[in-house]
Amino acid sequence: MTNVLTFTKTPNAGEPWDVAIIGSGPSAFTAAIYTSRGALSTLILGGDMWGGQLMLTTEVDNFPAHPGIMGPELMTKMKDHALLFGAKMIEKNVTSFEVPSINNKYFKLTTADDLYLAKSVIIATGADTSWLGVPGEDKLRGRGVSSCAPCDAPFFKDKKVAVVGGGDSAMEEALVLTKYASEVVLIHRRDSFRASAAMQKRVFENKKIQVLWDSSVAEILGDEKVTGLKIKTTAGTKQAQKVKGEEKQGFVYWNMDIDGIFVAIGHTPSTKIFKDKVELDTKGFIVKKSADGFNTLTSQKGVFVAGDVHDYHYKQAITAAGFGCMAGMDTVKYLADQN
Ligand code: NAP
């Protein structure tokens, strides 16, 4: 690329940034590309560990134009692109967030060392996958342990895989996996799913999916890659009658050979600092309040949202980037309307 222009300048001490973007995943960096090219002074508060979930991922095969790129390389490219037009990034966590009041005209964002003022804010803090926390899980992540069937299902062609969870995400992961795997074992800790009736119906009708009720994963087995699971099934249940193993403290422990395991037990959005400032749903995700043509607006005027922190449905890098574009464009328009 030649002749890149820097469209924005850094505000003087004590002056506000046009926009502060909190987060440093695909949504945050895409938003920054749009706000800085929209001539807004743009501060990215990227966190102590910048880059989001893709920094922990190996090969990414579903980001357009980059088949096979490693997660950290994709994020480095996005960061470099975001900074190309004049956005500044601070690698610090935001520890508190204050909305404007009678005494304060601007949003106040505090890190361990500094206070930043901003005329508008884009929340792009993402969500963390909830993991099982069992032995073997950390060691084998990316080597048979995954949380994204649309990303990793093709690696399990004609293999036997397990999915853990009983919500809509688990149903969806299992259904995606049936396109590739020879057998999908859906492991759930109770004897009924919480997923919607429609999703359950699709799962029960799919001959490749076998449900293991009243069971959870005690350990993920394998050295270089996943080879099996140690399962614990609640003793005295119908399921327990169908398995053979050692009974201990109310559970039957037994092993199952498996090539991969997909954990789908929910996500935890990073929204602690926004509680009581911006409306959250019961699970802590930011609620969008689309109004006046602003699709990414939150309940707080001047605060927009992008990515997995509000999107529990798609959760993809490319959709996060798309939401970042929308939030960036909304912010540019919002500030233009204020003048
Ligand atoms: P969820 O609805 O909270 O379900 C999480 C599942 O994981 C539950 O079945 C839960 O078991 C189980 N679980 C939690 N912790 C566990 C642990 N430590 N060990 C084993 N199992 C554990 O989460 P989700 O499925 O990610 O869905 C989140 C939201 O997104 C929901 O509102 C959902 O409707 C929505 N969503 C919708 C769609 C769709 O419409 N197509 C697709 C995906 C997600 P218990 O049931 O025993 O608590």
Side-chain angles (χ1 to χ4, degrees):
M1 199 184 312
T2 55
N3 293 332
V4 168
L5 299 174
T6 295
F7 294 101
T8 69
K9 60 182 174 74
T10 303
N12 295 321
E15 285 180 358
W17 291 81
D18 290 326
V19 57
I21 299 173
I22 314 175
S24 55
S27 56
F29 289 142
T30 307
I33 291 167
Y34 278 78
T35 55
S36 54
R37 294 189 80 254
L40 303 187
S41 60
T42 299
L43 175 68
I44 304 168
L45 291 160
D48 294 342
M49 305 267 286
W50 73 270
Q53 294 186 56
L54 277 178
M55 296 304 269
L56 309 172
T57 309
T58 51
E59 252 176 45
V60 179
D61 261 341
N62 55 8
F63 199 88
H66 292 287
I69 192 167
M70 300 304 273
E73 188 191 349
L74 181 61
M75 290 319 301
T76 304
K77 281 177 185 284
M78 281 195 209
K79 172 167 77 85
D80 292 347
H81 192 170
L83 302 183
L84 204 58
F85 306 108
K88 296 277 177 295
M89 179 160 121
I90 307 283
E91 291 180 38
K92 286 275 158 45
N93 288 341
V94 176
T95 51
S96 79
F97 166 75
E98 279 179 45
V99 299
S101 64
I102 296 168
N103 303 323
N104 304 315
K105 197 165 165 207
Y106 302 116
F107 293 97
K108 280 186 175 177
L109 301 113
T110 314
T111 65
D113 311 314
D114 282 301
L115 166 71
Y116 299 93
L117 302 177
K119 295 179 193 169
S120 63
V121 170
I122 296 175
I123 301 174
T125 45
D128 292 321
T129 300
S130 302
W131 294 99
L132 297 169
V134 298
E137 187 179 47
D138 277 351
K139 182 180 82 173
L140 295 166
R141 212 175 291 164
R143 289 187 282 155
V145 176
S146 172
S147 64
C148 180
C151 315
D152 295 335
F155 298 123
F156 295 92
K157 192 165 180 341
D158 301 327
K159 306 252 169 135
K160 180 176 174 181
V161 294
V163 174
V164 185
D168 281 323
S169 297
M171 307 297 120
E172 218 161 60
E173 296 279 290
L175 289 163
V176 168
L177 282 160
T178 57
K179 305 268 191 316
Y180 295 91
S182 54
E183 208 180 322
V184 178
V185 183
L186 187 48
I187 304 172
H188 185 39
R189 62 186 179 183
R190 296 188 291 122
D191 64 356
S192 64
F193 289 136
R194 68 167 64 222
S196 61
M199 293 295 278
Q200 290 196 38
K201 184 167 182 283
R202 288 180 60 201
V203 161
F204 291 136
E205 282 173 359
N206 193 308
K207 294 206 165 40
K208 275 193 182 176
I209 302 175
Q210 173 207 337
V211 180
L212 204 56
W213 300 110
D214 292 306
S215 299
S216 47
V217 175
E219 185 176 348
I220 301 173
L221 308 171
D223 291 323
E224 293 303 312
K225 60 187 180 75
V226 171
T227 54
L229 301 175
K230 177 175 275 190
I231 309 270
K232 60 177 204 179
T233 300
T234 309
T237 58
K238 271 193 200 160
Q239 189 69 60
Q241 290 166 14
K242 296 182 195 162
V243 301
K244 277 205 183 85
E246 186 194 354
E247 191 169 332
K248 223 169 40 180
Q249 294 167 337
F251 294 100
V252 181
Y253 287 81
W254 54 287
N255 288 0
M256 176 197 282
D257 289 342
I258 210 101
D259 301 298
I261 169 169
F262 287 74
V263 179
I265 62 170
H267 284 78
T268 311
S270 307
T271 51
K272 216 160 98 190
I273 59 168
F274 306 111
K275 191 167 179 283
D276 302 327
K277 315 279 170 59
V278 170
E279 188 178 332
L280 308 179
D281 71 10
T282 51
K283 290 188 175 158
F285 288 90
I286 306 256
V287 175
K288 278 201 298 178
K289 295 279 180 185
S290 305
D292 306 326
F294 295 117
N295 279 313
T296 61
L297 190 62
T298 66
S299 59
Q300 169 65 45
K301 189 176 165 218
V303 179
F304 299 87
V305 65
D308 292 8
V309 71
H310 83 292
D311 164 38
Y312 49 67
H313 188 96
Y314 297 103
K315 300 174 290 193
Q316 300 300 301
I318 190 66
T319 49
F323 285 126
C325 159
M326 289 160 65
M329 291 176 76
D330 282 353
T331 307
V332 171
K333 181 174 182 304
Y334 166 77
L335 289 177
D337 289 353
Q338 303 299 300
N339 294 325

